Amino acid sequence: MSSSITRRKVLGVAAGAAGAAAGLALAGPAAAAAAPARTAAPGSADFDEVYLGRHIKGGPSAHGGHHGGHEGHGGGYTVTIDGAELHVMRNADGTWISVITHYDPVATPRAAARAAVRELQGAPLVPLTLPVA
Amino acid sequence: MHIRKNQATLTADEKRRFVAALLELKRTGRYDAFVTTHNAFIMGDTDGGDRVGHRSPSFLPWHRRFLLEFEAALRSVDPTVALPYWDWTADRTSRSSLWAPDFLGGTGRARDGQVVDGPFARSGDRWPITVRVDGRDYLRRDLGASGRPLPTRAEVDSVLAMETYDTAPWNSASDGFRNHLEGWRGVNLHNRVHVWVGGQMATGVSPNDPVFWLHHAFVDKLWADWQARHPASPYLPAAGTANVVDLHDTMRPWNDVTPADMLDHTRHYTFDTAATAA
């Protein structure tokens, strides 16, 4: 079962990064806010699953989290639902929101993706519109 | 000078005129420009980067200016119209007259959340949702389905009692009045109301639901009430803060208005009940 050992190793690395970020967060809200946007966040491990019939996927952004010149969208983390990008954002306390549930923080990007799927009731996401302001 | 009234006290004629002005702004495309602006800011404002409209000290002056611009648009259609406010501590169920068919219409139907009565129902064909984040083009609501009730007067009073306007790090992690009113921390006032309404109101394109304006007009009134209770408490921060709108910094997207310009609402409108220091 070498594949599962590899999987554990990967998860171990991810957990280590998350632990480091958690330590930063414990240093206070100011430290968390000042942390680089690309710091791995607690609970932000990759995921890839089918939830209520929708394919949801999350992981570090290939494009580094830059949109329209703004820094820090989603903390460099991308979530998709059936391949369409769901705009997500990490709060200073480590919780997450998406454009579908923007006033209701949840613990992880996976929880944000699942909340969006429930809210969508089968509707497709429209392509991400970037801020113009 | 016009007066912003509690929605529960509006006459039938005032409701009719307010609704007609909303529908006219929608018909001409001016309404959707406000939805677009709001969504751009809500997606662009981040705790670790530039933040103007939300999760920052300028949440209150930004929305005051945004509502003033929207109200001016309404009044260009009908000069008798002013924005009403929804005191959700008092009118706290889906049976409130706010949600009657002669005003905003009610909650969405179970199957797809679609609002099926009132002037903004899809069947009237006058309220297409064009600025949207998903494929659905009809107004949706799910009043109260979040399971958490609307904030109580006691919860509002506990937030109004906070003396300090805002604190470092000036974002969703802050202590102080602004963030507790916004709702990222503590008993949760403003954010919780968005979630209680559900549908588009829970999303980044929340101004698609006309109740957005009545909700924010009450949040704005709570800012005025807080100022009356704490006349010695200034807007913060005063100057030199990275990524944040200080007292005399201009705010996007207008670039010609500062928080300092927005502190005194009586230059623009008054409320039907004067703010009290009690």
Side-chain angles (χ1 to χ4, degrees), chain A residues 28-35 37 70-74 85-93 95 97-105 116 118-133, chain B residues 36 38-50 54-55 110-113 132-136 140 169 171-173 184-185 188 190-192 194-195 199-206 212 216 252-253:
Chain A
H70 287 283
E71 187 77 19
H73 289 258
E85 186 171 354
L86 172 71
H87 183 266
V88 295
M89 185 181 293
R90 182 183 169 226
N91 294 320
D93 66 358
T95 58
I97 52 176
S98 83
V99 75
I100 300 284
T101 54
H102 210 95
Y103 303 91
D104 197 9
R118 291 192 298 272
E119 161 58 28
L120 284 166
Q121 293 184 289
L125 278 178
V126 299
L128 185 68
T129 344
L130 302 178
V132 292
Chain B
T36 299
H38 187 268
N39 191 44
F41 276 84
I42 216 163
M43 288 169 60
D45 296 324
T46 60
D47 279 334
D50 271 348
H54 306 85
R55 58 181 68 239
R111 174 157 62 83
D112 58 4
R132 58 186 195 250
V133 290
D134 60 63
R136 295 168 289 182
R140 292 178 295 111
N171 62 19
S172 72
W184 299 112
R185 184 165 171 170
N188 185 354
H190 153 270
N191 281 355
R192 200 204 313 182
H194 277 276
V195 175
Q200 280 89 3
M201 260 293 271
T203 74
V205 291
S206 46
F212 173 91
H216 271 278
R252 290 184 287 114

Side-chain angles (χ1 to χ4, degrees), chain B residues 136-219:
Chain B
R136 295 168 289 182
D137 63 356
Y138 47 87
L139 182 63
R140 292 178 295 111
R141 290 185 191 127
D142 207 357
L143 303 181
S146 62
R148 194 170 175 196
L150 288 165
T152 64
R153 187 67 227 182
E155 287 171 328
V156 165
D157 286 338
S158 74
V159 173
L160 290 178
M162 297 176 177
E163 281 194 26
T164 305
Y165 177 76
D166 207 347
T167 65
W170 320 110
N171 62 19
S172 72
S174 290
D175 200 353
F177 168 69
R178 186 277 307 168
N179 196 38
H180 280 82
L181 174 56
E182 189 170 0
W184 299 112
R185 184 165 171 170
V187 296
N188 185 354
L189 302 181
H190 153 270
N191 281 355
R192 200 204 313 182
V193 176
H194 277 276
V195 175
W196 186 89
V197 175
Q200 280 89 3
M201 260 293 271
T203 74
V205 291
S206 46
N208 272 310
D209 191 327
V211 82
F212 173 91
W213 309 103
L214 285 76
H215 172 35
H216 271 278
F218 186 60
V219 170

Side-chain angles (χ1 to χ4, degrees), chain A residues 33-76:
Chain A
R38 237 87 69 223
T39 303
S44 65
D46 292 12
F47 65 91
D48 187 338
E49 67 178 17
V50 174
Y51 177 73
L52 299 180
R54 309 289 293 266
H55 181 202
I56 61 174
K57 196 174 176 192
S61 303
H63 49 71
H66 288 276
H67 290 308
H70 287 283
E71 187 77 19
H73 289 258

